[in-house]
Amino acid sequence: MQNVYFERDRIAVDDADFPEFCSHFVEIPAGGGLVCNKDGKFLLICRHNIWDLPKGKQEPDENIEECAIREVEEETGLTHLRLGERICITHHTYQVFGEKCLKHTHWYRMYDEAEESLLPQEEEDITLAKWVEKECLPEYLAGTYPSIVEVFVNAGLL
């Protein structure tokens, strides 16, 4: 069973039906990271006043792991990341110029290997990047997208 998110609504699509379901969309591969620092805090970004995780579209010349690292680096300013295991893949829909898109985001654990300053990517409308303690995650994630909550659940953090 695959969870697919339409805005804040979730539908479950049977694995056998998933390819047919996907055929109705432009599919967008993407990568993102759940980053933990040496203090055990987790990195969140704020985009359009919603707490989120850094992620983005895969470029034609990169594999999905390279995409995940690049996107986290671009959106947060971190440059000393270590890639960990894949957590899960989330699926969400959106429309761009009237075209129905289905983004498949491959989520990875990542570890901040240095104590660098965070630099939110303003051109992507990211206004804040912040390290959050594990026990504070529920208050930050209360108004986020359900697919982001799914990442934390699959990582065993919620």
Side-chain angles (χ1 to χ4, degrees):
M1 205 55 88
Q2 300 290 325
N3 290 327
V4 180
Y5 295 93
F6 294 87
E7 298 291 324
R8 297 196 181 277
D9 296 326
R10 179 183 61 86
I11 65 163
V13 179
D14 188 85
D15 289 336
D17 298 328
F18 196 61
E20 168 65 22
F21 175 85
C22 292
S23 72
H24 298 282
F25 298 87
V26 173
E27 294 183 82
I28 309 291
L34 176 58
V35 184
C36 183
N37 70 11
K38 293 178 181 180
D39 296 327
K41 295 179 181 178
F42 295 91
L43 179 61
L44 295 176
I45 61 171
C46 188
R47 184 185 341 237
H48 304 294
N49 295 316
I50 297 174
W51 289 104
D52 201 348
L53 290 172
K55 64 188 170 306
K57 297 175 189 174
Q58 183 180 15
E59 297 292 335
D61 63 337
E62 65 187 358
N63 65 41
I64 201 66
E65 293 89 357
E66 292 167 335
C67 167
I69 289 282
R70 177 185 53 77
E71 284 292 342
V72 173
E73 288 177 346
E74 287 177 358
E75 292 190 352
T76 66
L78 297 176
T79 60
H80 294 89
L81 295 170
R82 180 172 52 85
L83 186 70
E85 71 277 2
R86 187 171 75 189
I87 299 167
C88 64
I89 302 172
T90 60
H91 313 279
H92 76 272
T93 65
Y94 60 96
Q95 283 199 22
V96 176
F97 305 115
E99 198 164 49
K100 296 186 302 184
C101 299
L102 176 60
K103 185 182 278 187
H104 307 285
T105 305
H106 298 248
W107 293 99
Y108 292 88
R109 288 185 187 272
M110 293 184 193
Y111 304 92
D112 177 29
E113 297 287 308
E115 294 184 18
E116 302 173 272
S117 297
L118 297 172
L119 182 62
Q121 188 180 24
E122 293 176 1
E123 54 271 17
E124 287 291 327
D125 298 320
I126 301 169
T127 54
L128 184 62
K130 182 176 183 175
W131 293 107
V132 176
E133 294 181 7
K134 180 182 176 183
E135 56 272 8
C136 297
L137 287 172
E139 76 180 75
Y140 283 88
L141 300 176
T144 195
Y145 305 103
S147 60
I148 299 302
V149 173
E150 184 176 319
V151 175
F152 282 91
V153 168
N154 279 299
L157 296 168
L158 294 179

